[in-house]
Amino acid sequence: MAAAAAAGLSWRRVSSFTGPVPRSRHGHRAVAIRELVIIFGGGNEGIADELHVYNTATNQWFLPAVRGDIPPGCAAHGFVCDGTRILVFGGMVEYGRYSNDLYELQASRWLWKKVKPQAPSTGSPPCPRLGHSFSLYGNKCYLFGGLANESEDSNNNVPRYLNDFYELELQHGSGVVGWSIPVTKGILPSPRESHTAIVYCRKDLGVPKMYIFGGMCGCRLNDLWELDIETMTWSRPETKGTVPLPRSLHTANVIGNKMYIFGGWVPQSAGGEISTHDGEWKCTGSFAYLNLDTTEWIGLISDCHEDKSNLLPGPRAGHCAVAVGTRLYIWSGRDGYRKAWNNQVCCKDLWYLDTEKPPAPSQVQLIRATTNSFQVKWDEVPTVEGYLLQLHADSPVPSAAGTPGTGVPETSVLSSQGGSSLHQSPQSLPSVPCPEMKVDHPSQANNVIPNNVQLSLSSNSLLKIEGKEKAAGSENKMTQEAMKNHADVTGFKESNAPSLLPACTSSPQTSANVGELHDLDKRTVIPDASVSSTVSSTQTTVTQQAVKTESSSTNGAVVKDETSLTTFNSKSEAAETAYFMPSTKVNTGQANDSHSSRAPQRQTAPVKSRERQWYDVGIFKNSSAVVSQFYLLPEEILNASNKMEDADVPDYRLLKKQDLFPGTVYRFRVAAINGCGVGPFSKVSEFKTCIPGFPGAPSTVKITKSVDCIHLSWEPPASPSGNILEYSAYLAIRSTQLQENPNQLVFMRIYCGLKTSCVVTAAQLSNAHIDYTSRPAIVFRISAKNERGYGPATQVRWLQDMKTSGSK
């Protein structure tokens, strides 16, 4: 384990998955579309012809219902992904019989189609083959090498190694143009099969290059070749470090600027000598990468390493490997040594490795605020195992010697109603004087990790994760959702923007601008938007979608009259210095087969002041949380500051909790966690708990489009906290202030009255600001007033089709 430990590797073996698991095999291929790993072909006691999909987010296997020109099963074929379409070329369709057919799969519809590219203008099209490389860059696929059968009799196999090179031009979206044979410079790589080829483009230079490594040509190879795709020039780059042993049937994957090489057949060492051509060969579990910027080889797991602890993937060849984000997945392959083709021993295991810490999530966004809790969310980060949510308060927080909290509150199940529009319905929480609307949001009850799943922090420290395990959705729904999101089809889409600061009344910062929203007084202030949603311009009647917050934290502003401007100032804050950052390993229902060179430790940075202390809310599996308490750190940890570098993360079960207070501003940040530890924190968002007695936000906003106007309607707050005296509706409008500060929305009041509806005229809409926080949208805010004053506003983003909306 020394090599893996030195490299800090943390392989995880996936267990407890659901769905029809494909039978073990070798010679198969895999690609990734978002979180889906799609596997086709391969063989073990016959060649497989079914398409299998593994959802890395739900840990579920499924068999999509494919249709169209379904290809026969094949092994050692070319398999590339371009958006949501997949191309399959060649491979062995039965023993001794190879193919040169080309198939296209539209994965958004699971539709197969056999395509017939034009022959090259010079030369013949590619001959039937297996073990070739098939690489995609831009709108072209590059085919190199492979193994052909010279005999017309499939039972009399006469192998011929190839080093021909073809280019296949693709049509946009679907179909192909044809083959061509590029004119190349330099020395062509020697013939080979079962090699690997990847394409990499440096960010600073922008020159795409293809790298070919290893393969088989009577003996196994470990040479590296480079093709400059722009000049079509072959070369042998000089490398540093120890070159991996000669191998074939290995895998190569690019993540960042590294080409990761795993497994394959390598020479069997005897007495310290490496035998080659006439020697024995074995499967290996070795793992290395080539830094493609410096061309330096770095060994991570050596060929001589024998893992008896089952904490690393075992030796194998003919497996598949695929990158999902920065995570590398490996599945199946054969581990037999000196066994006949029809008597292979194949692995059945699925592993993954996080190659780097996850990026920072988006800013925390507010779904709803009450007097003593927040419901918050943030955008998901792919292939993470959890999220660390932290807060700090403007008001002083007592130390752990203070009164402990009363426990985690129960949360309501917030479920989608389905259909093309999502609905919000009123909801009251017990003992909450200032509740807000129920919103369609992933259920908190389905959004967490089981209590028996723990965080591996060190040999003597364990933390429990907040929540329960996410329930897996149906296969078809899951697949279609993934494909639709990838294609960015018309519909609702949530913003990546930071959230808004809610306030049920004016805060001290805005008291200079406070006034009653009544008779369009020049000293009035719009209540802050604390609930937000998105609706589509393509629908005639639309209700609020899953909550979506906007780009600025609001602290109130002056409203003069219908033509005057209301300014909402941005208060979003840059990410601040972390007090600690636990390097954690989160087990998400998968076997905790992890290894690291050192126990994860809490890293520290200088604390600006006691008031700026960050406190843990908890660790959550999914990207939403109900926050009513946070953990108090012991006094000795608070006072340690920089001396905390070697301290373990405290056990949450031993810490006291502090409840949130009404009318208090809290700042939030969140960091993602994967097998490499905790990534950087998001930018800071701030929200304010409500003050009792003020009305909640209006709910169930509908927009009905007419020829020359739109009708805006809403439902009263779920908890008005008294009689509603009036409503106000506002429209974000164009302003020179927006040019100076794009994050500063300027609003015009378009309605004030007792009715729960209003008409927005074409003249008013012609002055509307189009917000490009995510998709183009017109922004409305609606708030209610009772005897105490105005409560928080509901913000609605009305999506615009810019192709048909003219200036809007």
Side-chain angles (χ1 to χ4, degrees), residues 412-571:
S412 304
V413 175
L414 308 177
S415 60
S416 171
Q417 306 298 317
S420 60
S421 62
L422 302 177
H423 302 265
Q424 296 179 333
S425 57
Q427 172 188 306
S428 297
L429 293 180
S431 306
V432 178
C434 185
E436 297 184 23
M437 61 169 55
K438 173 178 176 179
V439 296
D440 286 317
H441 193 69
S443 166
Q444 191 70 17
N446 292 334
N447 194 17
V448 287
I449 294 176
N451 291 333
N452 63 338
V453 178
Q454 294 179 323
L455 237 72
S456 301
L457 296 173
S458 68
S459 58
N460 58 2
S461 176
L462 289 175
L463 293 188
K464 286 196 180 274
I465 300 172
E466 300 289 328
K468 304 174 185 177
E469 184 162 309
K470 180 178 179 182
S474 69
E475 298 167 7
N476 290 339
K477 180 179 179 182
M478 167 187 60
T479 306
Q480 293 302 322
E481 286 291 325
M483 295 309 172
K484 287 180 180 178
N485 288 339
H486 183 85
D488 196 19
V489 297
T490 301
F492 299 119
K493 187 174 180 180
E494 296 189 352
S495 169
N496 296 330
S499 304
L500 301 168
L501 172 66
C504 288
T505 186
S506 57
S507 61
Q509 309 97 289
T510 62
S511 58
N513 290 333
V514 171
E516 293 293 330
L517 276 180
H518 130 89
D519 294 333
L520 298 177
D521 186 272
K522 293 186 178 182
R523 289 181 49 78
T524 57
V525 61
I526 295 180
D528 301 329
S530 64
V531 178
S532 179
S533 67
T534 305
V535 295
S536 172
S537 62
T538 61
Q539 298 167 286
T540 54
T541 302
V542 195
T543 55
Q544 283 190 308
Q545 196 248 2
V547 171
K548 176 171 194 322
T549 52
E550 295 304 308
S551 59
S552 61
S553 300
T554 59
N555 67 343
V558 176
V559 178
K560 296 182 179 179
D561 53 43
E562 182 171 318
T563 60
S564 65
L565 307 182
T566 302
T567 304
F568 291 81
N569 293 312
S570 172
K571 293 184 64 180

Side-chain angles (χ1 to χ4, degrees), residues 753-789:
L754 271 172
K755 291 183 178 180
T756 56
S757 65
C758 69
V759 173
V760 186
T761 65
Q764 291 170 327
L765 289 174
S766 66
N767 197 34
H769 164 67
I770 304 298
D771 178 52
Y772 288 92
T773 299
S774 56
R775 296 173 63 185
I778 293 175
V779 181
F780 296 97
R781 284 180 178 172
I782 306 163
S783 58
K785 177 186 174 184
N786 64 8
E787 292 86 348
R788 293 285 307 269

Side-chain angles (χ1 to χ4, degrees), residues 623-701:
S623 57
S624 65
V626 172
V627 181
S628 62
Q629 298 173 317
F630 56 91
Y631 291 100
L632 294 175
L633 295 175
E635 193 70 30
E636 57 271 20
I637 294 182
L638 286 174
N639 293 333
S641 188
N642 291 335
K643 300 178 182 179
M644 288 303 301
E645 292 183 0
D646 296 327
D648 288 336
V649 176
D651 189 335
Y652 288 169
R653 294 170 296 183
L654 305 179
L655 297 182
K656 295 180 180 180
K657 296 180 179 180
Q658 174 65 49
D659 292 327
L660 302 187
F661 295 102
T664 303
V665 174
Y666 292 92
R667 291 175 174 83
F668 286 87
R669 66 182 187 181
V670 65
I673 306 169
N674 67 10
C676 291
V678 179
F681 281 93
S682 67
K683 292 182 179 180
V684 175
S685 301
E686 67 176 39
F687 317 120
K688 185 177 180 181
T689 49
C690 294
I691 297 176
F694 289 82
S699 62
T700 319
V701 178

